[in-house]
Amino acid sequence: MSQQSTDTVTAITIDTLTPVREFYGAKVDNQIHANATHMIGFGFDGTACFRKGTRNGPDALRAVSEDIESYSPYLDADLFDHSFYDLGNLSLGHGDDVEYQWQHATDQFDALFGEIDLAAQNVRVLTLGGEHSISYAPIRKYLAQYPELVLLHLDAHADLRDGFLGYHYSHASIIRRSLDHFGPGHELIQYGIRSGTREEYQFMKEHKTVRTSRKDFLESVAALPADRPIYLTLDLDYFDPSFLPGTGTPEPGGEDFHSYVSLMKILRQKNLVGADVVELSPEIDPTGNSDVFAAKIVRELLIILNEKGAR
């Protein structure tokens, strides 16, 4: 492509909320640039059904990001190798109603990226949550833009309920709501799932979306064509709570950091076009270890997205 990463392609500029600090290595901006990766925070926990606190996840990740190395020894790459942008946080508006807050921030996301052709402009987006319901806005956008998209879902929970506790757009229904926008060329791959209803498990088995072993999962991703677009939605309760306790709905039996690194090495050879990382609840882990763990998760993702975005 002839455009450089400094070319602004924003159709509309949104006054997002200033974060506590930018993610380490990022440029602060509220415009969209071609051939670049953009981070946006969506700090919302209104539909969380067990323990809240994920509204503070995006800024907790940013606050600790400078305290980890910008260099990844796993990828032999650095956050400073390519430019990327921190757009700040979406606003929940001024009302107290949960559905109003979610819709206000979702509308802001749509206004910010709605007129952008992500594929043509090579714009990559990493959204930080917040609980998992925040993923609806970016996933819907990516499904609309990429008719052959693979939605890679890492989570302890199936998230296939048709709403939960009165919320149609619940953190427990995010994948079900995403499937509402699936076309014939889209594909769902799920891994790490270890909690759900009988009906959710029946759906996953019937539609062959779930992988039940690490080997099968990694082989499934490795087998994807190198140019096929992939979007990763990562709920941090995917990891075992012994490693990352700072999340609202912990489930024993999860994955570790090194299995995640194995996935990142595969995704580096694929076409990762966007991602979200959700469900960090900083106050639940007063040691701060979960914040550091999550920041390293984000660092690896950013490096891969930055490399793809710089093409």
Side-chain angles (χ1 to χ4, degrees):
M1 295 176 64
S2 60
Q3 288 175 302
Q4 300 300 311
S5 62
T6 54
D7 288 350
T8 300
V9 297
T10 306
I12 184 172
T13 300
I14 300 296
D15 290 328
T16 52
L17 302 177
T18 303
V20 63
R21 58 147 295 142
E22 73 277 8
F23 198 93
Y24 190 46
K27 297 179 179 179
V28 179
D29 205 341
N30 62 350
Q31 296 181 309
I32 312 302
H33 300 262
N35 300 319
T37 299
H38 305 76
M39 172 182 286
I40 186 79
F42 193 155
F44 172 78
D45 60 7
T47 77
C49 57
F50 183 27
R51 304 184 297 188
K52 295 187 184 293
T54 56
R55 63 187 177 278
N56 298 317
D59 275 350
L61 278 163
R62 291 180 173 106
V64 78
S65 64
E66 193 170 9
D67 298 313
I68 64 172
E69 300 288 353
S70 59
Y71 171 75
S72 166
Y74 311 103
L75 300 177
D76 187 22
D78 199 287
L79 285 174
F80 287 89
D81 290 342
H82 303 286
S83 295
F84 67 102
Y85 299 88
D86 192 331
L87 305 176
N89 294 321
L90 298 168
S91 168
L92 302 182
H94 301 293
D96 295 327
D97 179 73
V98 166
E99 292 180 321
Y100 163 81
Q101 292 177 344
W102 181 89
Q103 191 64 59
H104 188 277
T106 296
D107 289 346
Q108 270 207 328
F109 184 96
D110 292 343
L112 190 59
F113 294 102
E115 300 302 318
I116 304 296
D117 189 327
L118 300 179
Q121 301 290 347
N122 193 22
V123 171
R124 315 265 160 162
V125 185
L126 174 59
T127 308
L128 301 180
E131 38 98 327
H132 214 158
S133 69
I134 69 96
S135 304
Y136 177 77
I139 290 175
R140 180 181 59 178
K141 172 67 175 177
Y142 271 92
L143 288 171
Q145 292 271 284
Y146 293 93
E148 302 295 322
L149 188 77
V150 176
L151 178 59
L152 205 58
H153 174 217
L154 303 186
D155 203 324
H157 307 90
D159 289 353
L160 287 164
R161 298 171 188 252
D162 192 16
F164 192 59
L165 298 180
Y167 297 115
H168 187 62
Y169 297 96
S170 165
H171 76 130
S173 65
I174 176 60
I175 300 304
R176 179 66 176 268
R177 295 284 72 81
S178 298
L179 290 173
D180 293 342
H181 300 276
F182 262 48
H186 294 136
E187 181 179 356
L188 172 64
I189 298 177
Q190 298 173 283
Y191 178 61
I193 314 299
R194 53 197 186 275
S195 180
T197 65
R198 185 189 301 271
E199 291 75 19
E200 286 177 297
Y201 271 88
Q202 288 173 339
F203 178 93
M204 291 187 293
K205 291 175 182 177
E206 178 183 348
H207 293 87
K208 297 180 172 58
T209 64
V210 69
R211 306 297 184 268
T212 56
S213 76
R214 186 184 302 172
K215 178 176 181 293
D216 287 347
F217 168 63
L218 293 177
E219 287 179 351
S220 293
V221 180
L224 294 171
D227 60 346
R228 189 172 182 187
I230 299 171
Y231 182 96
L232 172 64
T233 181
L234 171 56
D235 186 325
L236 290 168
D237 64 27
Y238 165 80
F239 297 101
D240 194 88
S242 62
F243 302 119
L244 198 153
T247 189
T249 49
E251 293 284 349
E255 293 291 299
D256 62 16
F257 184 80
H258 291 289
S259 71
Y260 174 78
V261 169
S262 297
L263 173 62
M264 291 300 102
K265 290 180 177 179
I266 295 173
L267 287 180
R268 197 182 196 188
Q269 307 306 316
K270 304 297 179 179
N271 184 21
L272 183 67
V273 294
D276 61 70
V277 177
V278 300
E279 298 281 358
L280 174 66
S281 189
E283 289 82 1
I284 292 176
D285 181 6
T287 69
N289 290 345
S290 295
D291 300 355
V292 173
F293 193 113
K296 285 207 167 187
I297 294 300
V298 170
R299 181 190 67 188
E300 306 306 303
L301 265 178
L302 275 173
I303 286 173
I304 293 172
L305 287 168
N306 289 346
E307 290 175 344
K308 304 299 182 183
R311 288 178 179 175

